[in-house]
Amino acid sequence: MDAGETINGKPVTEEQIAAWAAEAEAGYDVKELKKRGRGRPGRGAEPSQVVALRLTTEELASIDARAAREGKTRSEIIREALAASAA
């Protein structure tokens, strides 16, 4: 194993890998895994779509600065701008 492997900034040890392997070999409760859900929480009743958008470094810096001032995410700022533009 590469000495630089980490999860959330913490090194992954051989002991952790052995524990994960033992857990997998013992089997997983599929119903429990499905119940937890995967990915980010939804924004509504319908699935959301990811849309790629090209922005300059300056545009991103401006969006990020506003997001920091308002305590919001970059995505929230972009969605608000799109909603205001479409209104």
Side-chain angles (χ1 to χ4, degrees):
M1 179 181 75
D2 179 58
E5 297 292 332
T6 62
I7 294 179
N8 295 327
K10 296 180 182 177
V12 177
T13 64
E14 291 296 329
E15 292 79 18
Q16 182 62 60
I17 293 171
W20 288 330
E23 179 184 13
E25 289 170 357
Y28 294 105
D29 182 348
V30 175
K31 287 182 183 178
E32 184 64 28
L33 291 173
K34 286 184 176 183
K35 187 168 67 172
R36 282 193 269 172
R38 294 180 15 185
R40 294 182 180 176
R43 295 188 52 240
E46 297 294 319
S48 298
Q49 286 192 321
V50 175
V51 178
L53 176 67
R54 292 182 190 268
L55 299 172
T56 66
T57 303
E58 293 79 18
E59 290 167 331
L60 280 175
S62 176
I63 291 167
D64 290 342
R66 179 174 167 193
R69 280 194 312 271
E70 297 181 15
K72 296 179 180 177
T73 65
R74 178 187 286 176
S75 293
E76 288 171 320
I77 296 298
I78 293 169
R79 282 193 295 268
E80 288 174 3
L82 289 170
S85 176

